[in-house]
Amino acid sequence: MPGTVFKGSAITQDANASGRIVRVVGEDGLLLYPNEQPLVTFLMEVSKRKPMKQKTPVIEFYENDYEPGWVQADAAGYTSGVTTINVAAGHGARIIPNTVIVVPNAAGVSTKPELMLVTAIATDALTVVRGFAGSTAAAVAANAAISLLGTAFIEFDVMAEAKGMTPALATQYMRIFKRAVKVSRTQANTSLYGAPGGERARLHAESIANMKIEMNKAFLFSRTHAGSATVPRETAGLNTVISTNVTDAGGNITRTTFESFARQVFDVGSETKLLLACPMLVSAIHEWGNSHLQLEVGAKAFGVQVTKVHTGHGTLIVMKDRQLTDGISGGNGFSGWNFAIDPNELSLIKLEGQGDLSIEEDVKKDGSDGFYDQIRTECGLKIKHERKHGKLYNVTGFVA
């Protein structure tokens, strides 16, 4: 049976009313601390090995990517003899003269596609040599995808035009997490069942456990914000940062949908990723594992019990997150949400001198007969390269 939420001070009369002041009965603990914060546990385990601290609450970093390997034709459509092909607005900047391009055929067509050589670019208009390298010229459909095969030059030709990518600045922030413990001196020094180290220590431990749960939910669903003198800063959350690899399970998830999601998230990044999974997806994975998935059940990783799923694209380390459940009284909650994370692109950043989760004892001295303690940390989630992560939502059931 769960305990009762209270606000304000913990006093001896409360303990007496609940029968917790020591009498001649058995010594029993009152609280269970289930593993309800797998993301925070993972981040803290990694932080132990490689602490990441800085002297500003603003988390800034530059991100870069490979040059785009594709452009798109405009909506006009072109016959096989046309030597000027317009591409979508801004796509001309991706190409330099002497680039070889190809318009792939549909998957069911075995005919060799046409190659073209780009000889000049005017904004988004490409001047091309059709049927390059002996290929057969063909019509270019409206909005066709065009792949860039790199440059080709003759001997003693001019230098290639310089081209590169400008890194983009990303900014995220730290949040100040706080919880308070207020206990009378009498209660702090009274022996109580369920508090072998004293009521003050019990409340410290309880507050730390609850703060970790709050941090776990913030790192999933918060939204980074700079704050102001009157508005708190806010940390980044996976749900608002991930925008590319987003999959709707459609309610009853199938193995085909799960496979498609895995293919998406392993398109770039590490070959091993964490999957923070809702209870329903965990059930589906274990059901499919009987005959369709290669599983390692009961493994341990980053201080959490996990299931490893080996797909054809990479390995998912599945961690059940109990926060990904229904809301109170059947209301909307976070059930059905799941997050795939590239561990190399996610880190917990702490403020130097303030970031370690700490107990600040007796911070308020006002002459009253009690202790005013505070549990505090200042930290934020650093989420890099959102394309290396993924989000799977709307998992309400599964097809066995």
Side-chain angles (χ1 to χ4, degrees):
M1 186 176 77
T4 303
V5 176
F6 70 89
K7 295 181 180 179
S9 305
I11 60 175
T12 311
Q13 281 79 359
D14 292 335
N16 187 45
S18 60
R20 289 177 53 228
I21 289 185
V22 171
R23 302 179 310 283
V24 187
V25 294
E27 179 81 18
D28 294 311
L30 297 180
L31 285 177
L32 296 174
Y33 292 106
N35 185 12
E36 295 200 1
Q37 57 281 338
L39 177 55
V40 170
T41 301
F42 157 71
L43 291 168
M44 288 186 170
E45 284 293 321
V46 172
S47 183
K48 286 179 186 176
R49 304 172 197 176
K50 187 180 178 182
M52 301 188 71
K53 298 183 178 182
Q54 61 182 46
K55 293 186 176 181
T56 170
V58 182
I59 302 170
E60 291 184 309
F61 52 96
Y62 283 91
E63 291 187 330
N64 208 351
D65 201 350
Y66 296 113
E67 294 177 6
W70 295 83
V71 296
Q72 187 174 26
D74 69 3
Y78 300 91
T79 62
S80 60
V82 175
T83 57
T84 299
I85 294 176
N86 293 302
V87 293
H91 284 200
R94 302 178 181 182
I95 307 174
I96 59 175
N98 288 80
T99 296
V100 180
I101 61 176
V102 60
V103 181
N105 293 324
V109 177
S110 63
T111 307
K112 299 178 181 66
E114 176 192 8
L115 300 183
M116 292 176 260
L117 178 68
V118 178
T119 57
I121 303 104
T123 312
D124 294 314
L126 313 182
T127 301
V128 297
V129 174
R130 302 299 301 264
F132 178 64
S135 61
T136 302
V140 177
N143 303 310
I146 302 174
S147 183
L148 313 184
L149 303 187
T151 54
F153 290 87
I154 62 174
E155 295 180 24
F156 291 104
D157 206 343
V158 297
M159 275 188 63
E161 183 180 321
K163 185 175 68 161
M165 296 283 288
T166 301
L169 176 65
T171 305
Q172 295 163 2
Y173 300 92
M174 297 183 189
R175 183 206 274 195
I176 299 173
F177 294 87
K178 288 184 182 181
R179 290 185 70 94
V181 170
K182 184 179 178 183
V183 60
S184 73
R185 292 178 182 271
T186 305
Q187 176 123 338
N189 291 283
T190 300
S191 295
L192 301 173
Y193 287 119
E199 182 70 349
R200 191 181 184 190
R202 184 195 72 79
L203 289 171
H204 288 168
E206 177 188 278
S207 293
I208 290 171
N210 282 308
M211 180 177 282
K212 286 181 178 178
I213 292 172
E214 293 166 352
M215 291 169 67
N216 195 90
K217 293 204 295 190
F219 294 157
L220 290 176
F221 293 104
S222 195
R223 184 186 187 94
T224 196
H225 188 266
S228 66
T230 56
V231 178
R233 286 188 311 274
E234 188 54 276
T235 181
L238 288 167
N239 186 51
T240 52
V241 172
I242 298 171
S243 60
T244 302
N245 298 322
V246 180
T247 299
D248 182 353
N252 288 326
I253 189 170
T254 64
R255 294 192 306 275
T256 301
T257 301
F258 184 74
E259 162 68 16
S260 176
F261 176 67
R263 187 167 63 248
Q264 263 193 328
V265 297
F266 284 111
D267 183 51
V268 291
S270 305
E271 294 186 357
T272 298
K273 299 194 178 184
L274 308 182
L275 177 61
L276 297 174
C278 69
M280 185 61 73
L281 184 60
V282 172
S283 295
I285 289 170
H286 281 261
E287 178 67 24
W288 297 333
N290 291 331
S291 55
H292 299 284
L293 292 179
Q294 183 182 350
L295 305 185
E296 287 182 47
V297 181
K300 195 102 172 179
F302 307 109
V304 180
Q305 186 167 320
V306 302
T307 296
K308 292 184 178 180
V309 181
H310 300 286
T311 75
H313 312 285
T315 298
L316 290 168
I317 300 176
V318 182
M319 299 178 175
K320 182 167 74 173
D321 193 326
R322 292 180 176 88
Q323 303 306 312
L324 301 175
T325 54
D326 292 331
I328 190 170
S329 302
N332 291 336
F334 303 123
S335 61
W337 291 81
N338 307 270
F339 298 92
I341 302 164
D342 190 325
N344 295 330
E345 307 296 339
L346 191 75
S347 52
L348 180 65
I349 310 297
K350 302 175 182 178
L351 186 65
E352 186 77 47
Q354 296 287 333
D356 290 325
L357 201 154
S358 59
I359 302 170
E360 301 169 348
E361 295 190 335
D362 216 10
V363 294
K364 181 180 178 183
K365 300 179 184 292
D366 61 357
S368 63
D369 182 28
F371 294 107
Y372 296 81
D373 302 335
Q374 178 171 266
I375 288 79
R376 186 188 190 281
T377 183
E378 189 162 354
C379 61
L381 199 58
K382 182 178 181 180
I383 307 171
K384 300 187 295 181
H385 295 116
E386 65 85 21
R387 285 184 56 227
K388 296 183 180 180
H389 311 290
K391 179 168 64 177
L392 174 67
Y393 70 101
N394 193 17
V395 179
T396 58
F398 61 91
V399 178

